[in-house]
Structure formats: C-alpha cells, structure tokens
Amino acid sequence: MGTIEEKGRNTPIACTVDLCVIGGSCTGVFAAVRAARLGAKVAIIENNGFFGGVATAGLVTLWHSAFDMARKQQIVAGLSLEIIEKLKKRNAVQVLDPDAGQHRAYVFNPEELKIDLDELIVETGVRPFLHARFVDAVHSNGQVSAIIIEDKTGRRAIEAGYFVDASGDGDLISRMGLPCIKHDELQPPTTVAILDNYNAILRQNPEFDLSKEIFNPRHPNALKQGFVWGSNVIGRPESYMIAGSRAHNADCSDGDSLTQAEIKCRRQVRAICDILRQVPGGEQLALSNLAAYIGIRETRHATCLYTLCGKDILEGTSFSDAIGYGTYGADIHHSNKAGITMKYLDGTQRYAEPGKPSVWSRWRDESAGSTPYYQIPYRSLIPESTSNVLVAGRLIGADPSAYGAIRVMMNCNQTGEAAGVACCIAMNKSVSLSDVPIDLLRKTLKEGGSIFPESETL
Ligand SMILES: Cc1cc2nc3c(=O)[nH]c(=O)nc-3n(C[C@H](O)[C@H](O)[C@H](O)COP(=O)(O)OP(=O)(O)OC[C@H]3O[C@@H](n4cnc5c(N)ncnc54)[C@H](O)[C@@H]3O)c2cc1C
C-alpha cells in the first residue's frame, strides 16, 4: 500500500519519573507498586480504563497454587497474596481446596479486583494513565529516554530512567527494534464469556458434557475442534465462566489478525450459547458478560539473557538468581490440532481432546518422584541489547514448553514485582540492570513481602 510521510512534531512531556511501566495487568501494577514502595517516582500506562489485563478485561478469574507440589510449603506470597487478602474482605475470592479434590487455586471477582488495583496505585502514589496507549519510544543505542502515549489529551511523552515492558505483547521492545521471537506455533487466543442460568442445564442433564456438545458436528454451528474449560463465578451460583472459543493461527501482535480474531471468537461464543439453548434446561441461558478484550495467550517473546526451557521447568533447575517460583505444569494449547497437552511436575502427562477421555502417560519414570517447584531466573527478564528496559509477564525469555508453564498469572505477577524492585536497585546503586546484586534483589523482595522456599538461604 506504500507509505505516507508524517510531519515532525514537538510532543508535550506529561511527566518525568524514575520508572515507567507499560501495561497495567497485575504484572505491571505490581512492578509499579513495588518500585513506588521503595521510594521511586513511577508512572504506569494502560490501554483499558482499568487495571488487571487478562484477569479483568479478559474475565480469566483463576490464579493457581501458591504452594509446592506436596502442598506443604508456600512458595508464592508478595502482592498476589496481598491482593487475595483484600479480595477476601468482600467475599470476592474463593480458595479451592485440594482436600476436596480440587486443585489449590483462587477464583476471584474481576470487578472487585479492578477496584483493589486502583487502590494500590493510588495509595502508593503511582501516576496512572488509563485509556492511554503506548505508541512509540524515543531511544538510541538500546537506551530509552522517553515513551510516547496517545490518550484523550492527545500525544504525550513520559520521560523515565527505567522502563518495564509489561504489555504482554512486547510493544516497547518491538518498537525499539530489540530482538524478539515468535514461536512457530502460537497458542491461540480465546474470548471468555459468562453465561447466566447455565446450571439449569446441569440440573436437567446430570451427565452433561460441555465439550461433547459444542464441538459436536451434528450442530451446524458447532465449533471447530479445540478445547473448552470453565469456572464457577463468585457470587453468581447459576452462572458459568466459559473459555471455549479460539482463533486458530491468529497472531494478535498483528492489527488485522487481532481484529479478525476478536470477531471470530465472539461469533463462536454466540454459537456456544445458541447450541446450549437447544439443550433441555438451556432455554433461559443468557450471555451476560463478554470479555472486553480477547484473551491473548501468546505473541512475541523478548530475547533475554536467559531463555527458560522445558527441562528447567519440569526438572526444577536451580538458579542462583531465582526471583519467582511456580508449580503450574507446561500446558500447550495447540493451534493446529484439537485439545491441549499438559506435562505435570509429578512426571505425568495428559493429552486432553474434547469429548474423549484424556490420554495419560508419563514423561518421566515414576521412580524419579516429583519436582517440588520450578524457578524463574532474573536473567530471563533482561532483554538483550538494552541498558534500561526489563520485561515482565508472559513475554519473558522462554521456549515453547517452558512458556506453557510460566505464562500463568501467579508467575507473571512475581516477574512484575521483581522487575520493579530491580529497577529501583539499579537506580539507587547506579549499576546496570544486568549487574543488580542478586542477594540484594532477593533480600529486598523478601522485605517487601515475597517469600523464598525454606531450602534456599538468603
Ligand atoms: C483464555 C485464557 C485463559 C487463561 N487461563 C489462565 C488461568 O486460568 N490462570 C492463569 O493464571 N493464567 C491463565 N491464562 C494466562 C494468563 O492470563 C496470561 O498469560 C497473563 O495474564 C499474562 O499476563 P501479562 O501481564 O503478561 O499480560 P496481560 O494480562 O495480557 O496484560 C497486558 C496489559 O498491557 C496492556 N497493554 C498492552 N499493550 C499496550 C499498549 N500498547 N499500551 C498500553 N497498554 C497496553 C493491556 O491492556 C493489558 O492490560 C489464560 C490466558 C488466556 C488468554
């Protein structure tokens, strides 16, 4: 289509801060809050009118376990648990109980989470920019001096000493031209929906299997074979959160592909509802919430000083610069075939195809036992070829199988906290981000509420 030349312009500076965070999911908010609590002057840029990212805009309301595989030792705390305590005050979180046969996890109310995140930002004096989109970076030799946002006011610049790219899609690092990777098979995006009066179907059909119904070719509008899961909705006992749509082969870092994926997934949500309305008990089913933003599983990854690999996750490689811990297994949502493959830390693996019994096998001999947890090293947050940018969230350095595990929010949240603290230490000690003393980083994280497994000395 050719190009047009834009006129040069002078852009007003909205503020000058120590740290500017791009992207306001919990990852970004936690980076900003941790830095502000250490005395830094911080700004945060968020495209939506509220914080939370996939946890709020995407209606994905489930955080995984904060415990090791034996469920004995707590391995995650920090702001994730602080937020859970805030949510508890309003009955806005349910802790799933493994002793009742559930995975240990937290299901929360996304609307209350939005307000709790607002409070954290306001209390800590972070300067928020909502409805603000990061559009460009002023940089040279890998050093960013300012970023450009577009919001209702117009086009504005924010100057900072340090930047955290928590945009999920690596918008900052890609605009800077830093090396990024896109895996060959990108995990597909999904638009989540909440359906009211869903439980009437279950009452009338005790054997009801959602995946057997919505992918069943006897329905002319059946979905192409994919994967579906869902969750109860806090405070709405008749409702169900459903994640069943998926846009195969979409690349949500491409504007046209993202647009098509949004429309395609909403059409699939409608098909799911129409199919369910034909099931006895489903007559009153109502589509009550559609995610404000398609849930993006994967786009760009930063090329970082360390790229986590599947072995690091599954076998629990020990890193001297560990800043985060997790147990969620490597879960690959296939874009080119139905279902998901999940490898667990206990040595088992499962291929789950809709409407069919899961196929279980082992990736490691039973005698090897279970990996208690895995570690995320600080180096996987440091992109190559820049001196004042860190990445946090789903774009950190990880290969496809490690990515299947680290992408969950309990993990992303910890990377945000570490990124915020690391920027403050680099600033206060006048050292480069790659020379941040690891013992000080971990000590400062601990003093701010993070925990480290007992076996690790500080
Ligand atoms: C359907 C689905 C189900 C999932 N299920 C679970 C689950 O059950 N549990 C779990 O823990 N994880 C789950 N995940 C994974 C998890 O939600 C994501 O990997 C995680 O939210 C990524 O966090 P993030 O902070 O990197 O990115 P995001 O949550 O995507 O946040 C990025 C933020 O940056 C903002 N942003 C982006 N670009 C710009 C820009 N240019 N300017 C300004 N702001 C910008 C966005 O608006 C957003 O708020 C699921 C993901 C999907 C899609």
Side-chain angles (χ1 to χ4, degrees):
M1 296 287 287
T3 58
I4 57 156
E5 190 181 335
E6 287 188 82
K7 277 190 186 156
R9 50 185 150 189
N10 291 322
T11 304
I13 297 166
C15 63
T16 300
V17 290
D18 299 317
L19 169 67
C20 178
V21 179
I22 291 126
S25 67
C26 292
T27 309
V29 170
F30 291 1
V33 165
R34 275 301 192 108
R37 283 185 179 169
L38 292 172
K41 201 172 168 194
V42 185
I44 185 165
I45 317 302
E46 171 51 45
N47 192 36
N48 292 307
F50 49 83
F51 296 108
V54 173
T56 53
L59 294 178
V60 176
T61 53
L62 191 143
W63 284 354
H64 294 101
S65 171
F67 284 77
D68 69 352
M69 287 295 283
R71 307 199 315 244
K72 289 205 169 80
Q73 187 182 184
Q74 191 175 342
I75 54 168
V76 184
L79 282 163
S80 299
L81 274 275
E82 198 176 313
I83 277 285
I84 284 170
E85 290 307 313
K86 279 175 174 278
L87 290 165
K88 277 183 186 167
K89 288 185 196 154
R90 293 182 172 78
N91 297 324
V93 65
Q94 182 191 357
V95 185
L96 301 185
D97 179 7
D99 294 330
Q102 300 162 323
H103 294 290
R104 189 190 288 271
Y106 306 88
V107 180
F108 52 83
N109 176 325
E111 312 307 330
E112 297 282 3
L113 176 61
K114 287 177 188 168
I115 304 170
D116 282 327
L117 294 174
D118 285 348
E119 281 184 9
L120 271 182
I121 290 288
V122 172
E123 281 162 15
T124 49
V126 173
R127 168 115 186 236
F129 291 84
L130 293 176
H131 296 292
R133 190 165 183 85
F134 158 83
V135 292
D136 211 349
V138 182
H139 62 98
S140 77
N141 300 322
Q143 171 105 9
V144 184
S145 53
I147 56 133
I148 310 294
I149 61 165
E150 294 264 7
D151 65 5
K152 277 288 178 186
T153 308
R155 195 173 166 95
R156 304 197 273 174
I158 295 168
E159 293 180 318
Y162 294 89
F163 296 83
V164 172
D165 185 342
S167 65
D169 300 316
D171 284 10
L172 170 60
I173 56 164
S174 111
R175 292 292 165 106
M176 289 174 69
L178 296 185
C180 299
I181 299 166
K182 273 189 205 162
H183 295 151
D184 291 342
E185 197 191 320
L186 290 177
Q187 297 205 29
T190 291
T191 296
V192 171
I194 296 179
L195 312 184
D196 283 351
N197 303 327
Y198 177 86
N199 283 1
I201 297 178
L202 306 181
R203 279 194 291 277
Q204 289 208 26
N205 313 273
E207 303 293 307
F208 180 72
D209 180 338
L210 181 61
S211 65
K212 277 195 179 146
E213 206 61 48
I214 65 173
F215 300 113
N216 192 328
R218 80 186 160 85
H219 298 295
N221 51 353
L223 271 59
K224 184 177 160 188
Q225 283 290 313
F227 184 73
V228 61
W229 69 276
S231 161
N232 60 321
V233 181
I234 300 285
R236 289 162 66 176
E238 289 299 306
S239 304
Y240 195 58
M241 176 276 251
I242 181 167
S245 64
R246 53 174 56 194
H248 292 273
N249 303 314
D251 175 357
C252 294
S253 63
D254 174 276
D256 294 318
S257 184
L258 173 61
T259 302
Q260 292 307 316
E262 287 275 16
I263 292 171
K264 190 175 190 175
C265 282
R266 282 197 287 269
R267 192 170 64 223
Q268 291 179 18
V269 170
R270 169 161 285 181
I272 292 171
C273 294
D274 287 345
I275 290 169
L276 294 178
R277 286 191 190 100
Q278 293 167 26
V279 176
E283 300 79 5
Q284 300 303 317
L285 187 107
L287 172 58
S288 55
N289 302 84
L290 258 181
Y293 201 119
I294 193 169
I296 300 174
R297 285 202 175 79
E298 183 174 20
T299 53
R300 306 180 186 100
H301 300 269
T303 304
C304 291
L305 300 189
Y306 188 80
T307 302
L308 272 159
C309 65
K311 191 170 182 291
D312 293 331
I313 297 296
L314 294 168
E315 298 183 15
T317 305
S318 189
F319 294 105
S320 56
D321 60 341
I323 48 79
Y325 299 84
T327 54
Y328 186 77
D331 141 2
I332 308 286
H333 285 249
H334 301 291
S335 66
N336 58 3
K337 66 174 180 179
I340 61 166
T341 300
M342 181 98 196
K343 281 189 177 178
Y344 298 93
L345 270 60
D346 67 0
T348 60
Q349 64 183 1
R350 176 170 75 110
Y351 174 56
E353 200 178 346
K356 296 186 184 166
S358 290
V359 180
W360 285 90
S361 54
R362 296 199 66 88
W363 61 266
R364 185 174 61 194
D365 192 78
E366 205 167 350
S367 59
S370 180
T371 300
Y373 52 79
Y374 48 80
Q375 308 186 354
I376 300 173
Y378 172 57
R379 282 165 297 154
S380 63
L381 279 54
I382 310 176
E384 282 181 0
S385 317
T386 172
S387 51
N388 68 339
V389 177
L390 289 179
V391 293
R394 67 179 153 85
L395 72 148
I396 68 168
D399 78 1
S401 50
Y403 179 67
I406 57 95
R407 68 189 183 89
V408 297
M409 291 180 270
M410 275 295 203
N411 294 340
C412 292
N413 294 349
Q414 295 173 79
T415 63
E417 295 183 63
V421 170
C423 288
C424 285
I425 294 175
M427 178 177 75
N428 294 337
K429 294 252 165 220
S430 302
V431 294
S432 72
L433 286 167
S434 53
D435 287 332
V436 165
I438 297 304
D439 50 350
L440 182 60
L441 173 59
R442 285 162 53 94
K443 184 168 163 284
T444 315
L445 279 165
K446 191 174 180 194
E447 284 165 0
S450 301
I451 53 171
F452 291 89
E454 282 156 20
S455 54
E456 294 187 27
T457 48
L458 282 180

